[in-house]
Amino acid sequence: MWNSYLSNVRVLVVDDQDFIRSLLRHILGVLGCTQITDKSNGQMAWEIIRDSPPDMLIVDWEMSPMDGIELVNKVRSYPA
């Protein structure tokens, strides 16, 4: 039952390390998530969030040019 629920959840993984993004994609896939997008920094993720907001955001804190804290603050303050 829980894995069918996750198949409808859109997840955005944001991390500057390829291995971590790959690991999270694998774990989410095992849990039944089929709609996984990943980006390597906050700026690239912000473009995705503006155009098509995900249901869940998994963010690394330390990245550049936009770190995870800045991205989360931007998401929280975005009116849409």
Side-chain angles (χ1 to χ4, degrees), residues 42-55:
Q43 184 60 45
M44 291 168 48
W46 176 243
E47 294 170 11
I48 296 290
I49 293 166
R50 271 192 335 228
D51 296 336
S52 178
D55 299 311

Side-chain angles (χ1 to χ4, degrees), residues 17 20 50 58:
Q17 295 183 16
I20 298 299
R50 271 192 335 228
I58 301 175

